[in-house]
Amino acid sequence: MMSLCDKNAAELHDMLMKRQCSAKEVLEDVVKRAESVQRKLNCYITYNENSLKQAEEADRMLAAGEGVTMLTGIPIAVKDNISTKGLRTTCASKMLESYIPPYDAAVIERLKAAGAVITGKTNMDEFAMGSASDTGIFGRVVNPVKEGFSAGGSSGGSAAAAASGAAVLALGSDTGGSVRQPASFCGIVGFCPSYGSVSRYGLIAFASSLDRIGSFGKNVSDTYFLHNIINGYDAKDVTSVRKNFSSELKDTLNGTRIGIPKEIFDSYMSKEVEGCISNALRIIEKSGAKLVTVSIPSVRDAVKAYYIISSAEASSNLARYDGVRYGHRSADTSDLSEL
C-alpha cells in the first residue's frame, strides 16, 4: 500500500474530503519520511514545531466544511529564504543562523489562510546564490533520485523534499533558474511564475528585479494548485501586478501559438538537453499547440546580462549584512574596518 507521503496533493485532498485520512495522519507520515531521509538528503534546515497544531486546525476546517481549499491539510516545505513568523529563517548563512522573523511573508499568510501545513524550512545555497545547493553552512543537499548527483539549486532542499516524500509540495525562489533547474534534476515539476504575479513581500532579496517565488509538486496539477493559492495582487509589494492566475486547468493547448526562439539551439547546448527540449516540443504539439519559430537575437546575451544585473543587485541587497545592524557579528575585531 502506498504511503500517504508518496501520494500527490490531489489524491490527498480527495482522501481528506472523504474522511479516509486526517490531516494529522498525513503530517505524521510526511514527518516520519522526512526524519528517515534527512541524514541522507539533508533537505531540511529547521522543522516547524507548530506543524501539528496547523494539522489539527486543518482537521477542524475539514470537519466544519468552512474555508476548505485544495491545500487544506497538505504538508508544504518552505525554502529558508522566505520569512516565517516565529520560525528560524537562515538563508543557509552564518549571518542569519539565529534569525527568527517577526512576520510572515505574503505567501505564508496565504498558505496558512488556505489551511496548509508548514513542515519546515529547506536547505539551499547561501542567500540563494548557487546552482547545486552546496554553498550553505548546513552542508550540501543530495539528489533523492540518484545518490552522488546534484539536487540542483539554489532551491535544492525544496526539490529534494518534494521528490522524496519529505513534503507533498514545496516553495522555492527563482532568480535565474533556481526552481526550474532543481525540479528537473530531482524529477518533479517546478513552476517559475511571471515576475509580479506572486508577492515578494517577505522573500529575503538576492536580485530584486529577478527574484520570484515558485512552486514544486509531483505533477503539473499539484504545482498549479499551489501557485493558484499564492498568486495575486499584494499592496505590500510595489512590483505586484493586478492579475490573477487562471482558476481553470485545461487539458488541451488547442488554439495556442507558442514561439520557439531559434537562438536557444546554439552550439553550446548539449545533445542530451536538445533531445529533451525537442521531445517536449513534440508533446506540446500533440496537445494541440501550433509551434512557431521566432528569432530573439538578444537571447545570446541573456546570461551576460543576468550576471551583471544579479551581481549588482546582490551587492546592494547584501550590503545590510555588515555585522553592525543585525545578524552574525564577529567578536574577533578591534575596529570598524576589521568588522
Side-chain angles (χ1 to χ4, degrees):
M1 182 177 177
M2 182 184 290
S3 298
L4 291 173
C5 62
D6 290 321
K7 294 183 179 295
N8 62 50
E11 291 171 330
L12 289 172
H13 172 74
D14 188 54
M15 293 177 68
L16 287 166
M17 295 299 290
K18 293 178 179 177
R19 303 295 187 270
Q20 294 175 345
C21 66
S22 67
K24 182 180 177 182
E25 289 172 332
V26 175
L27 174 66
E28 288 173 343
D29 204 48
V30 168
V31 169
K32 183 179 178 182
R33 173 65 61 80
E35 291 174 342
S36 70
V37 302
Q38 175 63 16
R39 183 180 293 275
K40 178 181 178 182
L41 302 183
N42 194 32
C43 53
Y44 277 97
I45 291 176
T46 305
Y47 292 117
N48 180 18
E49 294 180 353
N50 291 320
S51 60
L52 181 57
K53 290 182 180 179
Q54 292 176 356
E56 291 171 345
E57 176 58 29
D59 280 327
R60 284 191 287 271
M61 292 172 65
L62 289 161
E66 297 178 357
V68 175
T69 72
M70 289 296 298
L71 298 188
T72 302
I74 303 299
I76 299 176
V78 177
K79 188 176 180 179
D80 207 27
N81 62 343
I82 299 173
S83 295
T84 44
K85 184 177 181 179
L87 182 60
R88 187 170 68 142
T89 301
T90 72
C91 286
S93 174
K94 186 73 174 176
M95 264 295 171
L96 295 176
E97 186 176 12
S98 302
Y99 173 59
I100 299 178
Y103 70 99
D104 279 326
V107 292
I108 302 301
E109 290 178 345
R110 291 182 180 234
L111 289 182
K112 288 182 176 179
V117 180
I118 308 299
T119 56
K121 309 301 289 293
T122 56
N123 204 352
M124 56 183 283
D125 284 300
E126 186 173 10
F127 284 108
M129 296 181 191
S131 56
S133 297
D134 59 359
T135 65
I137 64 167
F138 299 99
R140 66 186 287 265
V141 180
V142 175
N143 191 305
V145 179
K146 192 166 185 179
E147 191 173 354
F149 282 72
S150 170
S154 61
S155 306
S158 287
S164 65
V168 177
L169 299 168
L171 289 183
S173 67
D174 194 310
T175 304
S178 287
V179 165
R180 294 160 286 177
Q181 184 245 39
S184 175
F185 283 15
C186 294
I188 58 174
V189 175
F191 178 65
C192 175
S194 298
Y195 186 81
S197 64
V198 176
S199 173
R200 290 184 298 111
Y201 178 76
L203 173 65
I204 297 175
F206 165 12
S208 304
S209 70
L210 300 169
D211 294 342
R212 287 150 291 173
I213 294 177
S215 307
F216 291 99
K218 293 183 176 69
N219 55 37
V220 171
S221 60
D222 278 12
T223 310
Y224 168 85
F225 294 142
L226 176 52
H227 178 74
N228 231 16
I229 292 294
I230 64 173
N231 96 103
Y233 176 72
D234 178 21
K236 296 189 293 292
D237 177 1
V238 296
T239 61
S240 180
V241 295
R242 296 179 181 272
K243 183 179 180 181
N244 279 4
F245 199 64
S246 170
S247 59
E248 185 180 337
L249 189 61
K250 299 178 180 179
D251 58 4
T252 178
L253 292 174
N254 286 338
T256 304
R257 297 172 72 244
I258 299 178
I260 312 300
K262 62 183 182 181
E263 289 81 7
I264 67 171
F265 294 99
D266 274 346
S267 58
Y268 67 82
M269 181 182 289
S270 72
K271 294 298 181 183
E272 185 179 10
V273 171
E274 184 177 348
C276 289
I277 294 176
S278 297
N279 184 55
L281 294 179
R282 283 192 291 271
I283 294 172
I284 289 171
E285 201 164 27
K286 285 182 179 178
S287 298
K290 180 180 179 180
L291 303 183
V292 181
T293 299
V294 298
S295 178
I296 307 178
S298 60
V299 164
R300 297 190 182 98
D301 298 317
V303 174
K304 300 171 188 176
Y306 167 79
Y307 275 109
I308 293 171
I309 294 168
S310 63
S311 297
E313 294 188 9
S315 177
S316 176
N317 281 323
L318 271 68
R320 70 195 73 177
Y321 305 110
D322 53 11
V324 176
R325 284 161 281 199
Y326 58 88
H328 172 73
R329 180 168 185 154
S330 175
D332 301 324
T333 60
S334 58
D335 56 42
L336 184 62
S337 179
E338 286 185 6
L339 177 64

